[in-house]
Amino acid sequence: MTKTEVMRDFIRKTMLPVVVALLLFSIFSRIFIENGTPNYFLIWLACGVPFGIVKMFTLIPIGFGTSGTVGVVALNIVLGGLIGGVILIYRLAVAVWYLPLTIYRLIA
């Protein structure tokens, strides 16, 4: 691999997920505060929504009334946040793993 390909992979696999996660955490940690302490479950759920947006609409709200449609859409958002939270943790683990690998590739 050339150095430009290594740096492109480094930015895509390490820098981008970490920057997005830090930006989302800084935004949502100010929103979800209960009794002066942050609610980390809600922060994790909200930070996972952009990463789980592909899996968000697995249940299609067809044939429901207005309240049923709103309920199914809310359930889709919660499920997308939970799945996205797991994907976010995986992406951050890949970023941690890819950092020394990039250093090794640049030196070798």
Side-chain angles (χ1 to χ4, degrees):
M1 292 181 78
T2 64
K3 289 190 178 193
T4 57
E5 291 173 348
V6 170
M7 289 307 292
R8 186 179 315 131
D9 283 345
F10 175 73
I11 290 172
R12 185 174 51 92
K13 291 182 180 178
T14 303
M15 295 297 294
L16 190 62
V18 170
V19 168
V20 170
L22 287 175
L23 177 70
L24 290 173
F25 182 78
S26 68
I27 290 170
F28 292 126
S29 65
R30 295 186 174 109
I31 294 173
F32 298 115
I33 294 179
E34 295 177 358
N35 300 328
T37 59
N39 188 344
Y40 290 110
F41 178 72
L42 291 178
I43 294 170
W44 176 65
L45 192 70
C47 288
V49 169
F51 290 93
I53 201 162
V54 176
K55 306 290 184 189
M56 192 174 288
F57 293 103
T58 55
L59 301 173
I60 309 294
I62 296 175
F64 296 106
T66 305
S67 61
T69 302
V70 169
V72 170
V73 169
L75 179 66
N76 282 332
I77 291 172
V78 169
L79 288 176
L82 287 172
I83 293 169
V86 173
I87 292 170
L88 173 64
I89 291 171
Y90 173 75
R91 290 273 181 99
L92 292 177
V94 167
V96 168
W97 169 255
Y98 202 76
L99 185 62
L101 187 64
T102 302
I103 294 171
Y104 174 73
R105 286 183 180 171
L106 285 176
I107 291 173

